[in-house]
Amino acid sequence: MSEPDHVRTAPFARIGSVDPADRSTWEGKAFLTFDVDWASDEVIADTLDLVEAAEVEATWFTTHHTPLLERIRANPKFELGIHPNFNFLLAGDPRNGATAEEVVDRLMAIVPEARSVRSHSLVQGGRLFELFRAKGLTHDSNAFLPEQSGIALRPWVDWFGIVRVPYFWEDDFWCDSAQGSPIEALESRAGLRGYDFHPIHVYLNTERLQRYEDAREHFRDAGRLRAFRNESAEGTRDILEQLLAARRGG
Ligand SMILES: [Zn+2]
């Protein structure tokens, strides 16, 4: 059976595979990324199950050691990147590392093969890009240009020699935005299409951030957390499932 629309059948791709000079590595491709954000193993595994079943490529931005890293590593469609948290450092709290280098080193010790990075809260800047480069990181996905801007996304090489791969959709921003485009419309946008999901929002099928706040004290207890899942309105999990269904086999 022939597919009528090239764009609809273009596969997912990983952040680390982007070469701005080679359009075939990014044009018309969907970049499915996950900021793990210290989720429990049950919550991460729930998202992994969905993505593995769809057999698509994805990039996992790691925040901590978990036995699930081996499961992600074992899948040739997956890439492991790092998700450093510089927020404590910005507040003068050294618990996560007394310098930016220490913050990055701690994660690189867990995921030494990482080539891609997205910071928690998108903390970025020239000093950090220099540091990323020095640590062997080649690709960055800290540039969030919301799809509502209508800007067609493409990657570029920045001043520091880092390949920047922007994205236009993020689950928590979607929850907070009155006017989001349906997946169907996003998937026919020109350029590359980057999506950022958090396993906790997939698990909760979050559709408004208050749901996430209400569930906060149960984040380590997947059984109790399950009772907080949104079953009534379109939520983050539904969006992910729509995207996976549109791109199955990519
Ligand atoms: Zn984060």
Side-chain angles (χ1 to χ4, degrees), residues 87-104:
N87 292 350
F88 289 110
L89 193 57
L90 290 174
D93 179 340
R95 83 176 77 170
N96 196 35
T99 64
E101 182 171 20
E102 230 178 281
V103 173
V104 171

Side-chain angles (χ1 to χ4, degrees), residues 7 37 55 161-162 197 215-217:
V7 168
D37 276 25
E55 300 182 334
I162 301 255
F197 290 89
R216 189 179 280 277
E217 66 177 294

Side-chain angles (χ1 to χ4, degrees), residues 35-38 61 63 83-85 118-122 170 172 196 198:
D35 297 349
V36 172
D37 276 25
W38 308 274
F61 289 111
T63 50
H83 192 56
N85 180 6
R118 176 183 294 133
S119 306
H120 187 55
S121 306
L122 303 179
E170 177 166 332
D172 44 14
D196 178 12
H198 297 83

Side-chain angles (χ1 to χ4, degrees), residues 49-169:
D49 289 345
L50 288 174
V51 182
E52 282 180 346
E55 300 182 334
V56 297
E57 298 195 4
T59 302
W60 301 81
F61 289 111
T62 309
T63 50
H64 61 287
H65 175 74
T66 152
L68 291 171
L69 292 180
E70 287 310 317
R71 182 169 156 193
I72 296 171
R73 274 194 185 104
N75 188 327
K77 288 183 179 287
F78 292 162
E79 171 186 8
L80 276 174
I82 61 166
H83 192 56
N85 180 6
F86 299 106
N87 292 350
F88 289 110
L89 193 57
L90 290 174
D93 179 340
R95 83 176 77 170
N96 196 35
T99 64
E101 182 171 20
E102 230 178 281
V103 173
V104 171
D105 281 348
R106 287 186 188 185
L107 278 176
M108 293 302 287
I110 296 167
V111 193
E113 72 269 43
R115 292 294 172 266
S116 299
V117 54
R118 176 183 294 133
S119 306
H120 187 55
S121 306
L122 303 179
V123 175
Q124 59 193 295
R127 294 294 290 274
L128 291 179
F129 291 130
E130 282 175 354
L131 174 64
F132 294 161
R133 188 70 204 263
K135 296 296 173 184
L137 297 161
T138 55
H139 289 66
D140 168 280
S141 189
N142 271 312
F144 175 47
L145 291 82
E147 56 92 357
Q148 290 87 345
S149 71
I151 298 170
L153 303 188
R154 57 162 300 155
W156 72 95
V157 181
D158 72 11
W159 195 358
F160 305 94
I162 301 255
V163 174
R164 308 284 301 276
V165 185
Y167 67 103
F168 70 4
W169 192 95

Side-chain angles (χ1 to χ4, degrees), residues 174-186:
W174 174 79
C175 288
D176 232 14
S177 314
Q179 291 148 337
S181 306
I183 286 294
E184 187 77 10
L186 294 179

